[in-house]
Amino acid sequence: MFRLAIAALLGAISLSACAQQPASPAGATAPAADSAADKRVREALKQLDPNFAPDYIGAAPFPGFREVVVSGQVLYVTDDGRYLMQSQPYDIEKRAMATSTGLLAHRRTLLASLPHADRIVFAPPNAKYTISVFTDIECGYCRKLHQDVAELNRQGIAVEYLAFPRMGLGSKDYTDMISVWCADDRKAALTAAKADRPVAAKSCTNPVAMQYNVGQQLGISGTPAIFAADGSQLGGYLPPAQLKAALEKLPGAAGRP
């Protein structure tokens, strides 16, 4: 219901009004938390859907807006609750997507809810960086990324895989990923599946559904979806050199999530 309401609203809203918000001076930091603004935004969105239940509301990385996460979608709403936009702005100065510290913390909390023991990990000794990768065994770019794992490890990057069957729970993709996660050697099974080799059907208590659901809360719509330790989403597939360069630009990316 909320997604439909948002889509309808975006068709009618004049986003030019957003330009009336005060511009951020060079070097300005994100505004502090404002519980009154949070309340106004919450009440405004409840007018679209009485059952509105955000996963997160906090200061946007630029003044005049609240940042809202609902069903994995990131929305920006003016502090007065009047205007809404559904597009993540680009920070020209930092040359990266604009992301608030609050949203990064929200993502880290979600990622931390997925136990390390449930991940399929390819890591070098003393890794400098760790990336969490939501993966599907069938997508072409997921397979291409997996071919790069050895090089990523050589560059000091550990890869921790999480399951995200794109076709949804109950699909063949989902049951195949359960077989991978239930295999005696999950790393070998994942490598075989990504090479289009058969994996013996198995069933067990597994984290596939839980990882998929957290991926949806993070707003993932395609795979691979790569997250740095600080909660930054690095996008989809990147060649090893570009991925390492992206990590080096993030002050909080070193270490594990």
Side-chain angles (χ1 to χ4, degrees):
M1 171 61 186
F2 185 78
R3 290 175 183 266
L4 294 176
I6 290 297
L9 180 65
L10 288 175
I13 260 184
S14 172
L15 294 181
S16 62
C18 297
Q20 298 172 12
Q21 298 300 319
S24 175
T29 57
D34 183 340
S35 58
D38 290 353
K39 182 179 179 181
R40 285 193 296 270
V41 167
R42 189 184 301 271
E43 291 174 348
L45 292 176
K46 276 186 175 292
Q47 295 177 25
L48 296 177
D49 183 353
N51 297 317
F52 171 69
D55 301 310
Y56 166 79
I57 295 181
F62 40 85
F65 285 81
R66 297 289 99 183
E67 194 168 45
V68 183
V69 179
V70 57
S71 299
Q73 298 181 85
V74 180
L75 312 173
Y76 294 93
V77 183
T78 51
D79 286 346
D80 62 6
R82 181 172 179 183
Y83 297 102
L84 176 152
M85 63 181 181
Q86 192 182 17
S87 178
Q88 188 174 12
Y90 185 80
D91 188 325
I92 295 175
E93 182 178 323
K94 293 184 178 179
R95 303 195 176 213
M97 301 307 292
T99 306
S100 72
T101 55
L103 180 58
L104 292 178
H106 172 69
R107 288 175 178 169
R108 289 197 302 272
T109 298
L110 288 174
L111 289 168
S113 72
L114 300 173
H116 182 263
D118 288 340
R119 304 176 181 215
I120 300 180
V121 179
F122 293 80
N126 303 315
K128 182 175 182 180
Y129 301 104
T130 297
I131 56 174
S132 299
V133 181
F134 287 84
T135 192
D136 181 279
I137 60 175
E138 295 184 350
C139 81
Y141 279 109
C142 295
R143 294 181 174 190
K144 187 170 178 61
L145 177 66
H146 195 64
Q147 293 171 359
D148 294 339
V149 163
E151 177 59 27
L152 291 170
N153 285 175
R154 278 193 291 271
Q155 296 196 27
I157 302 170
V159 179
E160 297 191 352
Y161 280 120
L162 299 158
F164 193 83
R166 294 176 303 161
M167 301 305 293
L169 303 183
S171 65
K172 182 179 184 302
D173 193 21
Y174 168 67
T175 57
D176 286 345
M177 294 191 84
I178 288 176
S179 295
V180 167
W181 255 259
C182 290
D184 293 334
D185 186 337
R186 295 188 300 181
K187 292 170 67 173
L190 183 63
T191 298
K194 286 179 178 286
D196 211 20
R197 297 197 301 269
V199 176
K202 294 192 75 172
S203 182
C204 65
T205 301
N206 67 85
V208 174
M210 178 174 66
Q211 292 177 358
Y212 175 80
N213 288 332
V214 169
Q216 288 197 311
Q217 290 178 270
L218 287 163
I220 294 172
S221 58
T223 51
I226 305 172
F227 291 85
D230 70 341
S232 295
Q233 186 168 1
L234 302 178
Y237 172 79
L238 290 172
Q242 290 185 30
L243 182 53
K244 185 176 182 182
L247 290 167
E248 289 173 340
K249 291 180 182 177
L250 299 173
R256 290 197 63 254

